[in-house]
């Protein structure tokens, strides 16, 4: 499965970035399940529980032999995936961050550019 | 709703969806119907203008990816309810934020699920328990909420937050039909 930034599932919420459906469509069409990270406007009080539950999933799926990947967005704070908080939580458990691909606006501009950027990653 | 320029704007909408509608890997063995995303459902919600928020999967987080089949009867115990309530606390924080920001909030569960059922949940006859020896024809779909949705509703109620308009995609029902379910969901969204 792929852990993705909220932006990729809900691009219409991000006025300064392309309203691009391509990452969602590429992941969907590749047969991967999605674990969506919290939006940037996440209430701080909820963040700890959410990040902890994502770390639980990375740990559990990893232990069971599932492929777990992470796709972030370069132009968003924390790559849109709360990268430092997630890394800190995983580090405390002795678990490595999933294989990660961070995209740029040009990568999500078209279906072709997205497929080119993610094609080799979503193996 | 009108913007400052006088243009009519539709109200913003968010759908809180059962975790497995976006990630079928979370399903218990033999109950996943698609490889990853339940695209007919998620695509319909997206094309209808909904922001998608993925609820946590309490079963995966409690019993892991290799868990046995289970029913509402088995999950209906204080420990599992406490686990669901802890997830409900941060989920309710997010629901509350969207409601406060003026969004129309809906919830799409997983009907037939012992945890995520909204209109229907799952029990068994005879009641399962003990040595694993379950048959699919013993799994019975009955009216009612799953344990997770029940605890989420209680958490919202305690905060004075109305439970969202809700429905469920009956993917845990033996007679599940995707086309029929998507048509039913479309009707629900247009109500």
């Amino acid at each position: 499965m792929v852990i993705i930034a909220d932006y990729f599932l809900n691009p219409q919420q991000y006025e300064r970035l392309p309203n691009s459906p391509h990452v969602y469509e590429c992941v969907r069409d590749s047969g991967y399940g999605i674990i969506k990270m919290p939006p940037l406007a996440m209430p701080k009080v909820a963040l700890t529980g959410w990040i902890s539950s994502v770390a639980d999933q990375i740990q559990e799926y990893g232990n069971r032999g599932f492929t777990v990947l992470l796709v972030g967005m370069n132009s968003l704070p924390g790559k849109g995936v709360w990268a430092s908080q997630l890394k800190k939580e995983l580090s405390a458990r002795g678990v490595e961050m999933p294989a990660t691909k961070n995209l740029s606006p040009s990568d999500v501009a078209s279906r072709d550019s997205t497929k080119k950027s993610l094609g080799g990653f979503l193996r | 709703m009108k913007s400052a320029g006088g243009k009519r704007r539709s109200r913003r909408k968010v759908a809180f969806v059962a975790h497995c509608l976006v990630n079928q890997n979370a399903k218990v063995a033999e109950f996943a119907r698609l490889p990853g995303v339940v695209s007919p459902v998620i695509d319909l919600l997206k094309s209808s203008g909904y922001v998608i928020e993925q609820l946590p999967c309490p079963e995966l987080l409690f019993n892991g990816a290799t868990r046995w089949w289970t029913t509402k009867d088995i999950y209906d115990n204080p420990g599992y309810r406490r686990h669901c309530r802890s997830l409900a606390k941060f989920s309710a924080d997010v629901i509350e934020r969207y409601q406060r920001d003026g969004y129309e909030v809906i919830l799409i569960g997983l009907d037939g699920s012992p945890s995520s059922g909204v209109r229907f949940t799952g029990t068994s006859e005879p009641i399962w328990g003990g040595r694993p020896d379950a048959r699919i024809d013993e799994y019975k779909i009955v009216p009612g909420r799953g344990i997770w949705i029940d605890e989420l509703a209680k958490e919202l109620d305690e905060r004075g937050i109305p439970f969202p308009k809700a429905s469920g995609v009956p993917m845990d029902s033996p007679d599940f039909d995707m086309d029929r379910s998507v048509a039913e969901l479309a009707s629900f969204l247009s109500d």
Side-chain angles (χ1 to χ4, degrees):
Chain A
M1 66 227 64
V2 189
I3 300 162
I4 63 170
D6 174 71
Y7 163 67
F8 297 127
L9 194 56
N10 297 309
Q12 74 276 22
Q13 298 289 87
Y14 295 77
E15 290 182 356
R16 294 181 181 177
L17 291 174
N19 188 359
S20 164
H22 304 305
V23 171
Y24 163 69
E25 291 175 357
C26 192
V27 171
R28 175 197 68 191
D29 296 345
S30 298
Y32 278 77
I34 288 172
I35 297 173
K36 188 186 80 65
M37 291 299 282
L40 296 178
M42 182 76 175
K44 289 288 178 286
V45 67
L47 190 60
T48 303
W50 195 322
I51 295 291
S52 176
S53 78
V54 172
D56 285 350
Q57 291 171 82
I58 292 170
Q59 197 168 1
E60 169 65 6
Y61 283 123
N63 288 343
R64 304 296 180 184
F66 287 74
T67 297
V68 183
L69 305 172
L70 179 67
V71 180
M73 186 66 182
N74 271 325
S75 45
L76 290 172
K79 310 297 183 189
V81 292
W82 303 87
S84 61
Q85 289 89 340
L86 184 59
K87 189 172 185 178
K88 184 178 176 186
E89 177 69 26
L90 290 173
S91 176
R93 304 172 182 218
V95 176
E96 289 187 3
M97 283 282 275
T100 299
K101 179 86 173 177
N102 292 315
L103 303 178
S104 300
S106 60
D107 294 322
V108 304
S110 71
R111 186 169 178 80
D112 283 347
S113 62
T114 304
K115 282 181 77 172
K116 189 176 176 186
S117 300
L118 284 180
F121 187 64
L122 300 177
R123 53 193 181 274
Chain B
M1 182 187 302
K2 284 187 177 179
S3 68
K7 279 187 175 177
R8 183 165 293 279
R9 292 172 50 195
S10 58
R11 188 180 178 194
R12 294 182 296 178
K13 304 183 286 190
V14 57
F16 284 78
V17 302
H19 181 95
C20 59
L21 291 173
V22 196
N23 179 24
Q24 286 276 282
N25 295 293
K27 292 299 296 181
V28 73
E30 298 182 40
F31 276 70
R33 294 180 182 271
L34 291 164
V37 178
V38 182
S39 50
V41 171
I42 300 304
D43 289 359
L44 172 61
L45 290 167
K46 284 175 66 65
S47 66
S48 301
Y50 285 88
V51 171
I52 306 296
E53 285 293 354
Q54 183 181 29
L55 290 165
C57 173
E59 296 184 25
L60 185 284
L61 293 168
F62 192 77
N63 278 339
T66 57
R67 63 194 181 274
W68 298 108
W69 293 354
T70 315
T71 66
K72 180 177 178 179
D73 308 272
I74 297 170
Y75 277 137
D76 194 0
N77 66 76
Y80 187 67
R81 282 191 175 273
R82 191 161 51 247
H83 163 68
C84 288
R85 184 59 75 98
S86 72
L87 301 176
K89 289 188 185 303
F90 72 78
S91 301
D93 290 333
V94 185
I95 292 172
E96 190 171 10
R97 198 270 289 181
Y98 277 106
Q99 289 193 339
R100 194 173 58 242
D101 288 351
Y103 282 73
E104 173 197 337
V105 179
I106 65 169
L107 188 152
I108 307 298
L110 207 291
D111 275 346
S113 161
S115 298
S116 297
V118 170
R119 301 170 301 174
F120 297 94
T121 184
T123 183
S124 62
E125 180 58 46
I127 298 293
W128 292 344
R131 183 177 181 176
D133 185 24
R135 295 201 324 266
I136 191 64
D137 58 299
E138 295 169 341
Y139 192 70
K140 304 297 181 191
I141 304 300
V142 296
R145 287 174 173 162
I147 300 294
W148 155 232
I149 298 300
D150 197 37
E151 289 299 322
L152 181 60
K154 287 180 185 173
E155 178 67 26
L156 292 172
D157 185 59
E158 287 176 12
R159 297 180 184 207
I161 301 169
F163 189 74
K165 175 184 167 187
S167 188
V169 182
M171 294 185 74
D172 277 1
S173 296
D175 61 347
F176 172 70
D177 178 273
M178 183 67 82
D179 290 342
R180 191 173 65 224
S181 299
V182 169
E184 188 181 29
L185 178 60
S187 174
F188 168 80
L189 296 177
S190 65
D191 277 349

